[in-house]
C-alpha cells in the first residue's frame, strides 16, 4: 500500500472517531444549554468535566487530521 493510501485510511479513522465524539457532545445537556443560550456563558455543572474532555479530544483529533492531510498532500506531490 502506498503512503497516500495509508494516510487516507488513517484520516478516515480519525474522522470517524471525531464524528463519534461530536455526536456524544451534541447529545449532552451542556451542549443543549449552549444551544438554548448561545450568546451567554453557560456555567459548567458538576458533570461537565467529561464534556470538556470530549471537546479537548475533538480539537486534538481535528489537529491530527489536518497534520495528516498535509502529509497526504506532500505524499501526493511526491508521487506525481
Amino acid at each position: 500500500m502506498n503512503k497516500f493510501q495509508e494516510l487516507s485510511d488513517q484520516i478516515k479513522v480519525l474522522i470517524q472517531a471525531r464524528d463519534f465524539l461530536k455526536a456524544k457532545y451534541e447529545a449532552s445537556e451542556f451542549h443543549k444549554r449552549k444551544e438554548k443560550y448561545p450568546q451567554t456563558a453557560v456555567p459548567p455543572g458538576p458533570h461537565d468535566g467529561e464534556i470538556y474532555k470530549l471537546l479537548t479530544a475533538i480539537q486534538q483529533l481535528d489537529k491530527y487530521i489536518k497534520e495528516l492531510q498535509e502529509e497526504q498532500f506532500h505524499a501526493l506531490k511526491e508521487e506525481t
Side-chain angles (χ1 to χ4, degrees):
M1 188 180 319
N2 64 20
K3 180 77 171 172
F4 181 82
Q5 188 60 43
E6 287 177 30
L7 291 169
S8 293
D9 292 342
Q10 290 174 359
I11 290 168
K12 286 177 190 176
V13 169
L14 292 177
I15 288 172
Q16 288 174 339
R18 183 196 59 198
D19 291 345
F20 174 78
L21 294 178
K22 275 186 175 181
K24 288 286 201 185
Y25 169 70
E26 289 171 357
S28 72
E29 290 300 316
F30 182 82
H31 176 70
K32 291 174 186 172
R33 290 193 313 261
K34 291 284 278 183
E35 288 291 309
K36 191 173 182 181
Y37 305 106
Q39 300 298 324
T40 60
V42 176
H47 303 291
D48 291 336
E50 291 298 316
I51 296 304
Y52 288 113
K53 289 179 186 177
L54 275 177
L55 291 173
T56 301
I58 291 167
Q59 290 171 343
Q60 288 295 314
L61 286 171
D62 282 336
K63 176 186 166 226
Y64 293 129
I65 289 168
K66 287 177 185 174
E67 287 177 6
L68 288 174
Q69 287 172 334
E70 287 179 24
E71 280 186 51
Q72 187 181 41
F73 176 73
H74 293 296
L76 183 62
K77 283 176 54 177
E78 289 175 4
E79 288 180 10
T80 57

